[in-house]
Amino acid sequence: VKTEQVVKKKDNAKKSLPASKRVDLDNKGVGPITSVNLPKAIDQSMVKHGEEVYQKMCTACHRVDKKFIGPAPKGILKRRSPEWIMNMILNPEEMVKKDPLAKELLAEFNGAPMANQNLTEKEARAVLEYFRTLK
């Protein structure tokens, strides 16, 4: 019985955290990306490309290290799977309709949906590589 109570407390504690702070590394999201292999070494040329894409396409709504119109990407890989991140970038409309976490983020950020910037998978992967450097 005590174990059950501890599990319930942990579940309730998770639910009380805002979606942007909650850790869910198992959810891969909804979209074209089902598997991402992240090598141990960070690809610096991909980081440079990803930072350029981020600066051009994402900064209207995102700040690296603070909440803005959308969540901050700093430390995102400690909270989300690489697949979830890429699916959110590539497929935001379907994510906010079908993914429970994306729905909660939409509510947390005042119903401001993430715009589909129509990035290619290569661009989204470069942005993900850039995010790996934001610790």
Side-chain angles (χ1 to χ4, degrees), residues 31-80:
I33 308 301
T34 57
S35 179
V36 176
N37 177 31
L38 294 180
K40 194 169 189 129
I42 291 176
D43 180 329
Q44 292 303 325
S45 66
M46 197 185 295
V47 169
K48 186 176 182 335
H49 182 225
E51 184 174 13
E52 289 167 0
V53 172
Y54 178 83
Q55 292 299 328
K56 182 178 167 191
M57 306 299 283
C58 309
T59 55
C61 297
H62 296 275
R63 295 296 179 265
V64 166
D65 57 359
K66 65 181 177 191
K67 185 176 180 174
F68 189 51
I69 295 165
K74 184 177 181 178
I76 188 71
L77 285 145
K78 292 179 182 164
R79 299 185 306 277
R80 305 287 175 266

